[in-house]
Amino acid sequence: FDVKVHFSNKENDIFHWEYIGKVNQSKLTFNDFSSNNELIQNNNVKTNQFDTTQNLNSTLKISENEAMVTSLLFSKSKTPQSLTTNPPTVIDDLGFSLAAKQKSEFQKQFLSINNSYFISNKKIRYGIYSSFFDLRNSLFSNLLNQDNQNVSDEFSNENDYNIKNFNINPVLVFNEK
C-alpha cells in the first residue's frame, strides 16, 4: 500500500504551514536458480519494505521587515529480507557447515530541522540560517542452517552508522541606494 497526505493553511497573511506525510509498505517475493560451484540452487527471496516520511514547513511573518521560516523532515525505513537456498550452500572446506538461509534487515532514520530568521530595512538585509540533522543507519545479517540456528558468529554482521550535524550561518547584505 501507498498512502500520501497533504494539509496546508496558506490563507493567513501572518502564518503559513504545510504538512506532507507518506507511508509505503511493499512485499516482494521472487525465485531464481543459480550455479554455485556447479551445484544448481533454487533461491527464494522475500522482502517486506516499510517507509514513512513526515514533512512540516512553516513561515511566520513577524512584521513587515521580519520573518521566520522553519522546516522539519523525519523519515524512517525498515527492510527485512530472507534468502533461502535449496540445496543449502556449503561454507567450509570439509562440507560440514551448511547455510540454508540468510536473514538480514536494513534500517534508516533521518531527522532534519532547518530554521531561518530574516530581517531587513532600506539598506541592510540580515539572516541567520540554522540546521540540524541526525542520520542513523543499521544493517544486521546472519546465516542460518536448516534448523534456523546461527551457523557461526563469523557469518553475522551488525553494522551501525550514526552522524549528527548542527550549524549556524549568518548572512549580511548591504545595499547602498
Side-chain angles (χ1 to χ4, degrees):
F1 68 90
D2 191 18
V3 177
K4 297 177 185 174
V5 176
H6 181 232
F7 298 108
S8 66
N9 179 6
K10 297 184 178 182
E11 298 174 7
N12 191 324
D13 288 339
I14 296 172
F15 184 65
H16 298 197
W17 61 267
E18 172 183 54
Y19 168 79
I20 302 168
K22 298 177 186 178
V23 176
N24 176 274
Q25 182 180 17
S26 59
K27 293 183 178 184
L28 174 66
T29 300
F30 69 89
N31 292 299
D32 72 353
F33 291 91
S34 64
S35 176
N36 186 2
N37 294 327
E38 299 181 10
L39 176 67
I40 302 298
Q41 291 177 303
N42 179 19
N43 305 300
N44 182 330
V45 177
K46 293 181 181 179
T47 303
N48 185 10
Q49 182 175 357
F50 178 80
D51 298 305
T52 181
T53 302
Q54 313 299 317
N55 196 338
L56 181 64
N57 301 306
S58 69
T59 302
L60 174 63
K61 181 179 174 182
I62 299 168
S63 70
E64 288 300 317
N65 299 324
E66 292 178 86
M68 187 174 300
V69 178
T70 303
S71 69
L72 178 123
L73 170 68
F74 177 77
S75 66
K76 187 168 187 173
S77 63
K78 181 177 180 180
T79 308
Q81 185 176 66
S82 68
L83 164 67
T84 304
T85 58
N86 187 17
T89 303
V90 176
I91 57 174
D92 67 350
D93 292 336
L94 301 175
F96 294 122
S97 294
L98 300 176
K101 296 179 182 177
Q102 179 185 12
K103 297 281 185 181
S104 63
E105 181 172 290
F106 177 75
Q107 291 188 39
K108 181 177 183 178
Q109 180 176 301
F110 182 70
L111 172 66
S112 173
I113 302 169
N114 297 295
N115 191 45
S116 301
Y117 172 75
F118 304 99
I119 188 168
S120 65
N121 64 24
K122 293 180 182 177
K123 293 189 177 188
I124 297 176
R125 292 183 184 164
Y126 182 72
I128 298 176
Y129 304 96
S130 62
S131 67
F132 169 79
F133 75 82
D134 183 355
L135 173 65
R136 300 170 188 214
N137 289 326
S138 67
L139 171 66
F140 171 77
S141 68
N142 66 339
L143 295 179
L144 306 173
N145 62 21
Q146 292 169 308
D147 298 322
N148 280 332
Q149 303 296 317
N150 281 347
V151 172
S152 168
D153 287 340
E154 291 180 53
F155 300 104
S156 293
N157 294 305
E158 286 189 54
N159 301 315
D160 288 315
Y161 172 76
N162 301 317
I163 186 168
K164 293 180 183 182
N165 185 42
F166 176 74
N167 66 58
I168 296 177
N169 299 314
V171 175
L172 179 63
V173 177
F174 181 75
N175 288 331
E176 204 176 310
K177 286 187 180 182

